[in-house]
Amino acid sequence: ELKVEQNPLFLSMQEGKNYTIYCNYSTTSDRLYWYRQDPGKSLESLFVLLSNGAVKQEGRLMASLDTKARLSTLHITAAVHDLSATYFCAAGRWDGTASKLTFGTGTRLQVTL
Amino acid sequence: DTEVTQTPKHLVMGMTNKKSLKCEQHMGHRAMYWYKQKAKKPPELMFVYSYEKLSINESVPSRFSPECPNSSLLNLHLHALQPEDSALYLCASSHLVRLAGIYHYEQYFGPGTRLTVT
C-alpha cells in the first residue's frame, strides 16, 4: 500500500524568508504532484514531477523529485502573504485499470508580516 | 471548456433522505473520480470510473452509490447517510498527457459539494 507523508503539518512563515516542505512516499510511484488548496475551495494543480531529478519552478515555488530517496520537496523563496494555503503532495500510481492518487497529510502554510 | 462542474455547491440532508451529487465535464476525459475530504484532512479516493465502467471502489459503504450514465457525467447517489459522512465531496476527471516524453494522467478537480448530514 502506498503511503505519503508530509512535514511539517503546519508552517508559520515570516514574510521574506525561505522554507521547505518535505514529502516522502513509501513505495515506487510513477508520478508526484503538488496541489494548493485555499480554505473551502478545490485543489489547484501546481506541479507535475515525472522523473528522478525533475525540478519545476513557478514564481516563488520550486518543486523537486528524488525517486531513489522517495522524496519530493517544495521550496518557498521569500514568502509572501498570498502563499497562505494548504499544500498537498500526491503520489500517482497505475492500478492496472486506472490511475490513482494518494495524497499526503497536507501542510498548512500561514505567512505573517 | 476546461473545467469540471459539480452541483449542488452545498447540500444539507437528513439521515433518512436520498439525494444525489452531480459532476460533469466536457473535456473528453474517459476517467472520472469521486473523493471525500474531511476538514483539515487530505482527499480520500472513493471511486474511479474508466470508460464508464467502475474500476476502483475503495471499500466505500453501500450508502454511497456511484453511477456513470455517459462519458461526461458522474453521479453519486446518497442514502441513509450518517453525520460522520459530512465532508467536501470532490469530483475529478483525467486524461493521458505526454510531458517531456513521459505519459501521466493529469487530474482536474471540480469545485466540490459541501455536504452536511443532520
Side-chain angles (χ1 to χ4, degrees), chain B residues 7-92:
Chain B
T7 53
K9 289 185 180 177
H10 302 275
L11 179 63
V12 179
M13 61 185 290
M15 290 190 282
T16 58
N17 292 158
K18 284 186 182 180
K19 296 285 184 184
S20 296
L21 309 184
K22 180 180 170 182
C23 172
E24 204 161 359
Q25 58 88 12
H26 296 286
M27 296 180 277
H29 295 176
R30 301 313 295 270
M32 295 185 77
Y33 309 75
W34 280 115
Y35 291 86
K36 173 182 177 179
Q37 186 178 24
K38 301 280 281 182
K40 300 189 192 301
K41 296 290 185 184
E44 293 179 350
L45 183 65
M46 300 174 72
F47 302 104
V48 181
Y49 272 83
S50 180
Y51 290 87
E52 296 99 71
K53 286 190 168 57
L54 182 64
S55 58
I56 296 176
N57 176 343
E58 295 287 78
S59 303
V60 178
S62 60
R63 57 186 184 268
F64 295 92
S65 174
E67 179 197 18
C68 189
N70 59 59
S71 60
S72 300
L73 194 53
L74 185 67
N75 298 319
L76 187 63
H77 303 298
L78 314 172
H79 173 55
L81 294 193
Q82 303 296 310
E84 59 265 28
D85 296 322
S86 298
L88 180 68
Y89 288 83
L90 293 164
C91 173

Side-chain angles (χ1 to χ4, degrees), chain A residues 89-106:
Chain A
C89 65
R93 211 163 169 200
W94 179 251
D95 186 66
T97 56
S99 175
K100 289 177 62 170
L101 286 183
T102 301
F103 284 84
T105 44

